[in-house]
Amino acid sequence: MYTAQPKNMLIMNILEILKKHSDEEHRLNQKEIIDLLDREYEMKVDRKAIKRNLMNLLDFGYELEYTETIRTNKKGEQEALYSDWYLVRDFTDAELRLLIDSLLFSKHIPYSQCKELIEKLEGLSNKYFKAKVKHIRNLPEKMPNNKQIFYVIEILDEAISKGKKVEFCYNDFGTDKKLHPRMSSNGKPRRYIINPYQMAATNGRYYLIANYDKYDNISHYRVDRISDIVILDEPSKKQKDLSETINLPKHMAEHIYMFSGENARVAMRIEKFLVGDVIDWFGKDVIFHNETETSVDVSVAANLKAMRYWAMQYANHVEVLRPEKLREEIKGDLLAAVEKYGDE
């Protein structure tokens, strides 16, 4: 049994009880708060002390909800009674679940850190919410193992804010399922000097949108593949000095797989059931025309490498019309695939 709490801790203990035990569906009256103080903190207090401290919490700016009723006491005087107390939280349970699900669907956060973040989010609600999401603790450990990711994000954020270049190693997975740095011709890990501009999440991954210092175009780097990062004293190259500018919403819509390279207007004919998928991938700036009962022509601005990959996924239902070069590349990919699966 632990030492009884000092009386000056009463208001903090009441607040903790409200955090842990209350919500709109689980409201507490003053007697229940008294019982919880006795059971969990070994504090014996009367109703007047409870009411006084609850009112103090309101005065301090805590958002508490309660029910007020007016009754006539034995002296014939009217007095207010307060009951059904609960703490209004910064996040609803639905919002917390959305945040937790976004962590679960993320492919760039290591398992142990993902689990730790989920536990912190759970702590923003009460015991009832924790019971609803307890199965999350049974996640299989399939997440990437770059333990530096949060440090990398912190350094990149600082470098972008200060307009500084960064230097880092960039890694690939080997058949041993571990990350290994890309190597230079001298057999040492290759160091990349990069001008960082934005970080963005797409397809469950976190990407750095940047410029490789040797060139004047935009390139992308998986944040979870970056390691051994340092900020350099040298200022970043100005975006206006690059061959392309970054309009983030437009950039993300055009680079659906975050490939670098040439962008162009792509025309294709799709089966109509894919209209929703096209909007999901490319946004609402797509242009539809020549609609029939079963098909519609689409014009999108896209990265050509990404478009080649995307069109192969939907090859049974999509025909790329222009540019001609892209059409021929996809035709070549399809013929190569047929050859692989053809009869010997």
Side-chain angles (χ1 to χ4, degrees):
M1 185 177 294
Y2 54 80
T3 305
Q5 297 281 314
K7 289 186 176 180
N8 59 8
M9 288 294 295
L10 176 58
I11 190 169
M12 296 305 299
N13 291 341
I14 290 174
L15 179 60
E16 285 301 310
I17 285 172
L18 290 170
K19 288 180 178 179
K20 181 178 179 181
H21 295 278
S22 77
D23 58 32
E24 190 172 2
E25 297 178 358
H26 303 86
R27 306 180 184 216
L28 298 174
N29 58 39
Q30 292 184 43
K31 183 180 183 308
E32 288 170 329
I33 295 174
I34 289 172
D35 292 342
L36 286 166
L37 282 167
D38 186 19
R39 184 165 65 248
E40 297 187 4
Y41 299 97
E42 293 189 344
M43 298 188 79
K44 297 187 181 297
V45 294
D46 57 28
R47 289 177 181 266
K48 290 183 179 180
I50 297 297
K51 178 181 177 182
R52 181 173 63 253
N53 282 277
L54 286 169
M55 292 302 175
N56 285 338
L57 286 172
L58 285 169
D59 291 340
F60 294 156
Y62 288 95
E63 191 174 355
L64 304 181
E65 291 290 338
Y66 57 89
T67 300
E68 180 180 354
T69 55
I70 305 297
R71 74 168 187 179
T72 303
N73 61 24
K74 293 179 180 180
K75 298 180 180 180
E77 301 170 336
Q78 288 191 331
E79 61 179 5
L81 293 179
Y82 303 96
S83 60
D84 299 331
W85 292 86
Y86 72 93
L87 177 67
V88 178
R89 301 172 192 280
D90 293 333
F91 296 94
T92 67
D93 286 355
E95 290 169 335
L96 286 176
R97 186 54 200 258
L98 183 64
L99 291 171
I100 288 173
D101 286 346
S102 69
L103 287 172
L104 296 180
F105 295 139
S106 170
K107 300 174 185 176
H108 64 271
I109 302 177
Y111 171 81
S112 60
Q113 292 169 316
C114 182
K115 189 166 180 283
E116 183 179 335
L117 284 172
I118 288 172
E119 289 172 353
K120 289 180 178 180
L121 288 172
E122 289 175 353
L124 296 177
S125 190
N126 55 30
K127 64 178 185 179
Y128 307 105
F129 177 76
K130 290 182 180 180
K132 294 177 186 175
V133 296
K134 62 182 179 182
H135 62 279
I136 289 172
R137 301 179 187 277
N138 297 324
L139 282 170
E141 189 166 354
K142 295 181 180 178
M143 311 300 277
N145 56 2
N146 184 355
K147 306 298 184 183
Q148 299 183 34
I149 186 166
F150 290 113
Y151 175 73
V152 170
I153 291 172
E154 182 180 343
I155 294 299
L156 286 173
D157 189 53
E158 181 181 350
I160 292 169
S161 298
K162 293 181 177 179
K164 298 290 187 180
K165 294 182 180 182
V166 294
E167 184 180 7
F168 54 71
C169 288
Y170 200 61
N171 300 269
D172 295 307
F173 274 103
T175 54
D176 59 358
K177 302 178 183 178
K178 296 180 180 179
L179 286 171
H180 300 276
R182 293 181 180 178
M183 308 301 287
S184 298
S185 57
N186 61 9
K188 295 182 179 180
R190 180 180 172 188
R191 301 289 295 177
Y192 288 71
I193 296 178
I194 301 296
N195 300 287
Y197 301 119
Q198 299 270 0
M199 287 185 283
T202 184
N203 299 325
R205 308 289 187 188
Y206 211 23
Y207 290 87
L208 170 65
I209 302 172
N211 161 253
Y212 185 41
D213 204 46
K214 292 183 179 180
Y215 306 105
D216 64 354
N217 62 336
I218 297 296
S219 54
H220 307 113
Y221 299 87
R222 286 262 299 272
V223 173
D224 58 308
R225 300 287 177 87
I226 294 173
S227 64
D228 303 311
I229 187 170
V230 293
I231 299 178
L232 304 180
D233 288 335
E234 189 177 351
S236 290
K237 191 183 299 180
K238 301 296 183 183
Q239 290 189 43
K240 64 181 179 64
D241 296 328
L242 303 180
S243 60
E244 53 185 312
T245 57
I246 302 174
N247 177 317
L248 191 58
K250 181 174 180 288
H251 188 85
M252 299 301 290
E254 293 178 357
H255 295 76
I256 54 175
Y257 297 114
M258 299 304 283
F259 292 150
S260 300
E262 182 184 357
N263 292 357
R265 178 64 60 173
V266 176
M268 57 186 172
R269 182 172 295 119
I270 68 169
E271 295 180 24
K272 284 182 68 174
F273 75 89
L274 278 179
V275 165
D277 293 76
V278 169
I279 293 173
D280 284 343
W281 280 102
F282 299 99
K284 293 185 177 180
D285 288 336
V286 299
I287 300 171
F288 295 108
H289 57 101
N290 296 337
E291 182 176 356
T292 70
E293 288 289 331
T294 59
S295 68
V296 62
D297 288 358
V298 187
S299 175
V300 300
N303 173 270
L304 293 181
K305 288 183 181 179
M307 196 68 227
R308 181 176 173 180
Y309 183 66
W310 184 89
M312 288 292 292
Q313 290 185 92
Y314 293 91
N316 286 345
H317 313 289
V318 170
E319 178 188 1
V320 171
L321 305 175
R322 291 180 302 277
E324 187 62 32
K325 181 181 177 182
L326 175 61
R327 179 182 172 89
E328 290 301 315
E329 288 173 341
I330 294 170
K331 181 179 178 180
D333 292 338
L334 291 170
L335 290 172
V338 170
E339 186 177 345
K340 287 182 183 293
Y341 286 92
D343 295 331
E344 295 183 0

